[in-house]
Amino acid sequence: MKDKVSIQQLPSDMRPREKILALGAVSLTDAELLALLLRTGVAGKNVFDLAHDLLRGFRGFAGLIHASAQELKTFKGMGGTAKRAQLLAVLEIARRALTQEMRENAVMHSPTVVKQYLQLELAQLKHEVFAVLFLDAQNRLLSYQPMFRGSLSQAMVYPREVAKTALTLGANGVVLAHNHPSGSVRPSQADIELTKTMQEALGVIDVIVRDHIIVAQGKYLSMAEEGLI
C-alpha cells in the first residue's frame, strides 16, 4: 500500500505549482489542476490518483461544481473537512466568475463564456432540463432559470411560462438551452420545432430568441451558429 504523498514530495518537473508558474494554468491537465488544489493524497492513494478518481467519479469539473458537501464526504479520500471546504469554495468561485462576466458584458459578444456556463450547469445531468437565460436590452444576463425537466416535447415545455417570466423580469431577449444526456448535441426535429414555437410565442411580447444552445458532456452546439435561428 502506497504512503500518503504530497505534491512537495514529487520531483520538481512533476509539480503542478512549478509548472503553472512557468507555463501558465492552461498547461496543466484537469487532474493536475485539481491535484494542486488538493495538495495531498490519502493512505494508499497519491494526490494525482485522488484527483483522477474525483474527476472520473463526478464526471469532470462540470459534475464537481454541482457536488454537495455530503456527496464529497462519501467519496474515499474526501472525508476531511478542509479538502471539501476548499474544493467547494473554488468551484463556487468559478461559477460566480462566469455569472459576473455575463451580467456585466453583452452575452452575445461572449458566446464562449455562455457555453462554458451552460456546460457547468447542464452537461453533467442525467435527465433533460430546459433552461433559459433572460437578457436585458444590452444582452446582459438578468437571470438564469432551469424551467422544465423531462422529455422536451412541446407538451412538456410551456412557452407561456417562459413569456410570463420574461415579462416579470423585463427581459428583452432570451437564450434557450437544454442538455442531451445521450451525448449527441445534434438538434432533433422536436428541438427545431420547439425553438420556432418559442420564437413565435415570445415575439408577441417583443422578446427575441437570441440562440438555443444544446449541451452534452464536453460538447455544445449553437443553433444560431448552425443557421437554425
Side-chain angles (χ1 to χ4, degrees), residues 109-127:
H109 292 166
S110 306
T112 301
V113 172
V114 178
K115 292 165 187 173
Q116 289 173 342
Y117 179 82
L118 292 171
Q119 276 273 323
L120 292 176
E121 293 291 344
L122 297 172
Q124 83 292 343
L125 300 179
K126 297 179 181 179
H127 53 273

Side-chain angles (χ1 to χ4, degrees), residues 77-172:
M78 295 298 292
T81 58
K83 272 189 172 60
R84 282 185 284 127
Q86 189 171 0
L87 180 57
L88 289 169
V90 169
L91 293 172
E92 182 59 22
I93 287 170
R95 185 205 299 271
R96 293 188 189 188
L98 290 174
T99 303
Q100 179 182 346
E101 187 165 353
M102 291 192 296
R103 289 189 187 280
E104 295 178 354
N105 301 289
V107 164
M108 305 316 296
H109 292 166
S110 306
T112 301
V113 172
V114 178
K115 292 165 187 173
Q116 289 173 342
Y117 179 82
L118 292 171
Q119 276 273 323
L120 292 176
E121 293 291 344
L122 297 172
Q124 83 292 343
L125 300 179
K126 297 179 181 179
H127 53 273
E128 288 193 40
V129 169
F130 182 91
V132 182
L133 297 168
F134 293 93
L135 312 176
D136 67 12
Q138 286 73 46
N139 286 324
R140 295 172 301 199
L141 179 67
L142 290 170
S143 179
Y144 165 80
Q145 297 194 26
M147 300 196 69
F148 307 102
R149 171 176 171 162
S151 174
L152 294 187
S153 67
Q154 294 193 43
M156 296 297 295
V157 177
Y158 303 102
R160 66 177 178 273
E161 295 299 325
V162 179
K164 185 190 302 182
T165 304
L167 286 170
T168 299
L169 294 169
N172 181 265

